[in-house]
Amino acid sequence: LVFISHALQRLSGFDADFALARNVQLFQPKKQRIDQAINNEEPVRLQEFSEQNRTHGDVMASLLLLERRNGQRFFVVQQTFYLKEPRSDRSYLLSVLHPIETPMPAVLKSHQITELSEDEMGMALDEWGVFLIQAREDPVGKPLMLSNVQKACEHYALSFAAFLRTCEDYVGDLFVPKIGLVEVHAFKGVLEK
């Protein structure tokens, strides 16, 4: 990071003195299991985009889960622009984060949530991971991430809210999937007999 805007400092909780000269992985979820399940191949795509020869103005869009300094997580549409300095060989990546205003599921909301067993968390994360893989290829949302990012954020906020209604209940901060978890436990019970 060579520059961090005031808006990103407020959004992430990291001040410029702390964030500058660090890797952008600073904003990724610290719990690797969550990062891998939810962000999937997006960090790899970003890495490849940054390493390939590009022309000035090339852009890539990503749907990501990020983490604030206090551990709270949030979804964003990230647009990454390749910029080349005129009359120079120097190039930069400029990333613009557009937060998606949506309620967070308990399993993704904070690093402080500990009520889930590893199996339950794994199943919940797998459900969200599959949903997000499909969301990234959504024929409505995917083109909007490049052409009208505000509409893309609104589209994904609605999609996430609909998915939340079908996949979980809250018991305090305990994540209880409506679909899948009971069936998985029943299936595991049959296998163990």
Side-chain angles (χ1 to χ4, degrees):
L1 294 168
V2 295
F3 172 77
I4 177 169
S5 69
H6 292 294
L8 182 55
Q9 290 177 58
R10 283 191 305 276
L11 179 66
S12 69
F14 293 103
D15 59 29
D17 290 340
F18 182 83
L20 293 179
R22 293 182 187 262
N23 190 295
V24 293
Q25 291 175 342
L26 174 70
F27 305 117
Q28 288 177 231
K30 306 305 176 266
K31 193 162 193 151
Q32 194 173 23
R33 173 73 174 98
I34 289 178
D35 188 37
Q36 288 174 341
I38 303 304
N39 288 331
N40 200 279
E41 295 297 317
E42 291 299 277
V44 174
R45 285 182 58 236
L46 284 163
Q47 180 82 26
E48 289 171 353
F49 180 84
S50 69
E51 292 172 351
Q52 295 169 353
N53 285 331
R54 298 261 164 215
T55 33
H56 179 77
D58 282 355
V59 63
M60 174 190 168
S62 307
L63 179 60
L64 295 166
L65 178 71
L66 301 181
E67 187 171 297
R68 293 181 174 93
R69 188 172 194 164
N70 66 7
Q72 291 179 330
R73 300 193 181 105
F74 59 104
F75 284 108
V76 297
V77 170
Q78 176 178 313
Q79 293 176 310
T80 304
F81 299 88
Y82 182 87
L83 305 174
K84 203 160 187 132
E85 232 177 61
R87 299 183 263 0
S88 166
D89 289 337
R90 293 170 51 172
S91 58
Y92 301 93
L93 292 177
L94 171 68
S95 290
V96 181
L97 303 180
H98 305 273
I100 299 172
E101 300 298 326
T102 187
M104 290 299 289
V107 73
L108 302 179
K109 188 166 50 177
S110 172
H111 70 290
Q112 297 172 339
I113 291 183
T114 56
E115 292 94 336
L116 290 172
S117 72
E118 190 58 41
D119 282 350
E120 290 170 326
M121 178 172 272
M123 286 183 274
L125 288 176
D126 290 344
E127 280 186 26
W128 269 95
V130 168
F131 168 74
L132 285 164
I133 288 170
Q134 294 168 345
R136 287 181 182 108
E137 296 303 317
D138 179 337
V140 175
K142 188 176 180 178
L144 282 175
M145 287 196 291
L146 293 172
S147 64
N148 188 336
V149 74
Q150 182 178 346
K151 288 281 186 209
C153 290
E154 291 169 6
H155 172 76
Y156 284 121
L158 284 172
S159 298
F160 291 176
F163 186 68
L164 277 168
R165 291 179 67 93
T166 62
C167 79
E168 72 170 16
D169 278 329
Y170 285 96
V171 179
D173 256 350
L174 178 61
F175 174 86
V176 183
K178 294 177 187 171
I179 299 169
L181 190 58
V182 173
E183 290 81 358
V184 168
H185 282 301
F187 181 68
K188 283 173 71 175
V190 168
L191 288 179
E192 290 167 1
K193 289 182 182 176

